[in-house]
């Protein structure tokens, strides 16, 4: 750099969304971005840069499920909820994935998910205690993959390449994501399960969830939202915040994603989306609870979701708490 060159601009750090307080001492922070939408769809509040593209990870699953419906697969009820799921790997999840595969002449061997243990720690301990090992069907995205394979069978599409970004199904997924978000896909990547992953802004993600709950009855988007809200235990599991929220706040659509992404839409169109930059899911509950409070949600489940105690010697000595 010469003496006449201006120094490169340094982007400001994202704001702190949560702090880690142990024994009265703040020992850490979690930064990120957040957006809240009013019922009419207008932006009510932002923190950080909610228009910068992020990978929503599994928060994109409602859009992927809608694409599967648009492609002609007939799914409803628990099966459609499981197609949009990051399931916990509890027995009822695995049983239904196996049924969905068998109904279309498929088996767990056709899945391209990486072998994994159940996502839920309690389910994982029971699974291992029974002498089981990591399997493709146990991976939390296996319901989505089963539905993707099923629609390929229905349409005569190649099943071996169903995760290729150029596959007809994945091209349709990209269209649905862009339409729902109201913005083009900014980048294409590969999710943890191996499926193509489309980047959009958090504002676009909140708009997408809002569009699903307000979609016309009978549309692919509304059918996905209705199935997820009617069967939240299949979307997540019996010990998961998405399940608690959709069960206890009627009409709510909620889906978390890896790397601490969360999107929620309420029945009247209020919506939120956020991402914690360091990907720490331990801060997700407190940030989600505070965002729900700011949207006006007054329900006991909000406190339950927001509670994140810190332990010292098996005794509670602090907490992770939202800072906005």
């Amino acid at each position: 750099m010469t003496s006449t060159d201006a120094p490169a601009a340094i982007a400001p750090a994202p704001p702190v969304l949560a702090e880690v307080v142990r024994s009265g001492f703040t020992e850490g922070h979690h930064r990120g971005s957040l957006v809240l939408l009013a019922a009419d769809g207008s932006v009510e509040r932002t923190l950080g840069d909610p228009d910068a593209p992020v990978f929503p990870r599994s928060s994109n699953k409602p859009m992927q499920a809608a694409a599967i419906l648009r492609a002609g697969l007939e799914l409803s009820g628990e099966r459609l909820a499981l197609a949009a799921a990051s399931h916990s790997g509890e027995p009822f999840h695995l049983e239904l994935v196996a049924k969905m595969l068998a109904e279309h002449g498929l088996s767990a061997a056709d899945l391209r998910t990486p072998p994994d243990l159940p996502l839920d720690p309690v389910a994982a301990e029971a699974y291992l205690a029974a002498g089981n090992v990591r399997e493709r069907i146990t991976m939390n995205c296996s319901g989505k993959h089963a539905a993707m394979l099923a629609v390929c069978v229905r349409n005569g599409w190649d099943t071996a390449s169903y995760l290729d970004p150029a596959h007809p199904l994945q091209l349709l997924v990209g269209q649905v994501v862009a339409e729902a978000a109201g913005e083009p896909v900014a980048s294409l990547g590969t999710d943890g399960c191996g499926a193509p992953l489309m980047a959009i802004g958090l504002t676009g993600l909140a708009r997408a969830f809002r569009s699903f709950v307000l979609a016309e009855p009978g549309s692919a988007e509304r059918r996905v939202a209705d199935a997820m809200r009617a069967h939240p235990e299949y979307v997540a599991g019996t010990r998961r915040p998405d399940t608690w929220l959709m069960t206890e706040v009627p009409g709510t659509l909620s889906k978390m994603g890896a790397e601490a992404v969360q999107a929620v839409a309420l029945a009247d169109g209020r919506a939120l989306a956020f991402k914690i930059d360091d990907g720490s899911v331990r801060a997700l509950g407190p940030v989600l609870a505070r965002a729900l409070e700011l949207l006006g949600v007054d329900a006991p489940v909000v406190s339950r979701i927001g509670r994140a105690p810190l332990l010292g010697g098996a005794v509670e000595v602090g907490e992770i708490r939202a800072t906005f």
Side-chain angles (χ1 to χ4, degrees):
M1 185 175 74
T2 68
S3 59
T4 58
D5 289 333
I10 299 176
V16 173
L17 299 185
E19 60 184 5
V20 183
V21 181
R22 180 181 297 274
S23 303
F25 179 83
T26 301
E27 66 172 348
H29 302 89
H30 295 287
R31 298 176 179 272
S33 296
L34 173 147
V35 63
L36 304 179
L37 301 183
D40 64 2
S42 61
V43 175
E44 187 170 279
R45 182 169 182 176
T46 65
L47 291 170
D49 185 3
D51 294 326
V54 301
F55 281 137
R57 304 297 296 271
S58 286
S59 293
N60 268 352
K61 281 179 176 171
M63 286 82 89
Q64 292 170 318
I68 290 167
L69 292 182
R70 286 199 197 181
L73 186 65
E74 283 302 317
L75 281 179
S76 61
E78 295 93 337
R79 285 167 172 76
L80 182 51
L82 196 57
S86 300
H87 65 71
S88 290
E90 296 172 73
F92 67 93
H93 295 126
L94 305 184
E95 290 167 8
L96 186 54
V97 174
K99 287 181 182 177
M100 289 171 62
L101 290 166
E103 287 165 355
H104 296 275
L106 298 160
S107 72
D110 295 298
L111 295 168
R112 293 294 178 266
T113 46
D116 207 349
L117 296 174
L119 187 63
D120 179 82
V122 175
E125 287 185 8
Y127 183 81
L128 290 171
N132 295 307
V133 297
R134 295 173 185 269
E135 299 284 355
R136 294 183 185 276
I137 198 170
T138 318
M139 199 267 171
N140 73 87
C141 299
S142 63
K144 176 184 77 175
H145 283 246
M148 286 182 169
L149 283 165
V151 78
C152 289
V153 171
R154 189 262 182 202
N155 290 332
W157 293 336
D158 182 52
T159 55
S161 63
Y162 76 98
L163 297 183
D164 189 321
H167 192 281
L169 173 60
Q170 303 304 339
L171 294 175
L172 181 56
V173 170
Q175 294 174 23
V176 173
V177 170
E179 289 174 13
E183 63 185 62
V185 170
S187 186
L188 185 67
T190 303
D191 210 340
C193 66
L197 180 60
M198 290 78 179
I200 53 176
L202 291 169
T203 304
L205 182 60
R207 282 196 299 255
F209 271 60
R210 179 179 183 274
S211 73
F212 271 54
V213 300
L214 299 179
E216 287 294 321
S219 65
E221 292 75 13
R222 182 62 175 273
R223 288 169 60 193
V224 170
D226 288 350
M228 292 175 68
R229 294 182 292 186
H231 305 284
E233 70 281 6
Y234 281 89
V235 176
T238 55
R239 290 172 284 271
R240 301 271 296 283
D242 282 332
T243 300
W244 305 339
L245 185 57
M246 288 190 281
T247 299
E248 299 182 38
V249 183
T252 298
L253 180 66
S254 179
K255 185 73 189 72
M256 72 165 292
E259 294 298 314
V261 177
Q262 181 75 50
V264 175
L266 304 177
D268 64 358
R270 287 172 289 164
L272 67 88
F274 66 82
K275 174 171 171 42
I276 298 168
D277 266 25
D278 62 13
S280 178
V281 295
R282 69 175 184 171
L284 193 146
V287 173
L288 174 57
R290 179 57 180 157
L292 290 168
E293 289 175 354
L294 291 175
L295 280 184
V297 178
D298 182 13
V301 70
V302 174
S303 296
R304 182 183 182 191
I305 288 172
R307 181 165 164 72
L310 294 178
L311 302 181
V315 177
E316 186 173 332
V317 297
E319 64 177 336
I320 301 170
R321 62 193 184 196
T323 56
F324 57 96

